[in-house]
Amino acid sequence: MLDLLYKRRSIRKFTNQDIEAEKLDRILQAALLAPSSKSAYPCEFVVIDEKQINEKLSVCKPLGAGFLKNASCSIIVAGDVTKSDVWIEDCAIAASFIQLQAEKEGLGTCWIQIREREYNDEQSAESYIQEVLNIPSNIKILAIIAIGYKDGEKAGRDETHLKKEKLHTNSF
Ligand SMILES: Cc1cc2nc3c(=O)[nH]c(=O)nc-3n(C[C@H](O)[C@H](O)[C@H](O)COP(=O)(O)O)c2cc1C
């Protein structure tokens, strides 16, 4: 597990290679295996494997999403607010599971933040995506995880990255 965690980096450049169905299937299994507060399971996942749709989603906010137009696949991670008051936490864990399983499959990912982000002065990134994908208003969107084959390698982390001063034992 630690090897995988040291290796994972945010990948924003992808090749054109499609993701094999079995790999995508295992990534989605990982998403569905994430723990859930009170076993409420509020998370919903929308898989986008059509380039045209990913292109539309890539303009959901002015910065930090443009690279989505070159990803072979993306997964919208969203939560039903009527099912859980902690859907954000549940979705964040599921999104992380997606990223880690994708790394295990030799793929690259990047989290694209949607919650609290704006499409423009009048519309949120969330409502723009809800319109594009016909997502009802009770399903709130946390993030899009862009997935694809990495176009080039990014160095993994080593122990110098660890901010050990953030660790506390028994009291702060
Ligand atoms: C909650 C969260 C939101 C993020 N939002 C974006 C984003 O909108 N666009 C983007 O390109 N990267 C985004 N990232 C990726 C971070 O920029 C990246 O994780 C950070 O720079 C550390 O780099 P690493 O993932 O390679 O270790 C986000 C990461 C997290 C955890």
Side-chain angles (χ1 to χ4, degrees):
M1 185 64 169
L2 261 187
D3 289 346
L4 197 70
L5 296 175
Y6 273 111
K7 197 163 165 273
R8 185 214 57 81
R9 296 295 312 276
S10 291
I11 300 300
R12 300 178 181 86
K13 285 187 184 155
F14 303 101
T15 70
N16 289 329
Q17 192 179 339
D18 285 334
I19 298 171
E20 294 81 350
E22 319 83 71
K23 290 194 176 192
L24 183 58
D25 179 68
R26 286 192 292 269
I27 290 168
L28 294 170
Q29 287 181 50
L32 296 172
L33 282 166
S36 174
S37 171
K38 299 181 181 172
S39 294
Y41 297 102
C43 300
E44 302 279 343
F45 306 93
V46 187
V47 178
I48 309 294
D49 60 5
E50 279 185 29
K51 193 175 167 50
Q52 268 186 332
I53 307 179
N54 275 324
E55 266 173 25
K56 273 190 192 163
L57 298 180
S58 73
V59 299
C60 68
K61 60 179 188 175
L63 293 172
F67 60 90
L68 182 56
K69 68 178 187 296
N70 297 319
S72 353
C73 181
S74 71
I75 302 175
I76 316 300
V77 183
D80 187 336
V81 288
T82 67
K83 289 198 176 145
S84 174
D85 58 343
V86 289
W87 66 272
I88 297 172
E89 289 83 344
D90 279 21
C91 285
I93 297 168
S96 298
F97 277 27
I98 288 171
Q99 291 193 282
L100 293 176
Q101 184 61 33
E103 186 67 42
K104 179 95 194 312
E105 302 290 350
L107 299 163
T109 64
C110 190
W111 181 305
I112 298 171
Q113 181 68 21
I114 300 303
R115 196 180 69 84
E116 303 289 349
R117 296 292 178 263
E118 303 304 320
Y119 170 62
N120 60 25
D121 286 347
E122 280 100 48
Q123 192 175 18
S124 66
E126 173 179 77
S127 117
Y128 171 82
I129 296 168
Q130 282 169 332
E131 274 178 22
V132 173
L133 302 177
N134 293 315
I135 298 176
S137 61
N138 59 305
I139 306 294
K140 310 293 279 177
I141 304 172
L142 177 70
I144 304 175
I145 307 298
I147 311 176
Y149 277 92
K150 302 171 192 178
D151 189 5
E153 274 300 317
K154 215 168 171 181
R157 306 288 190 192
D158 61 24
E159 280 209 43
T160 61
H161 180 72
L162 307 183
K163 296 177 174 47
K164 294 208 169 151
E165 69 277 10
K166 291 182 180 291
L167 304 176
H168 313 274
T169 306
N170 294 330
S171 78
F172 195 86

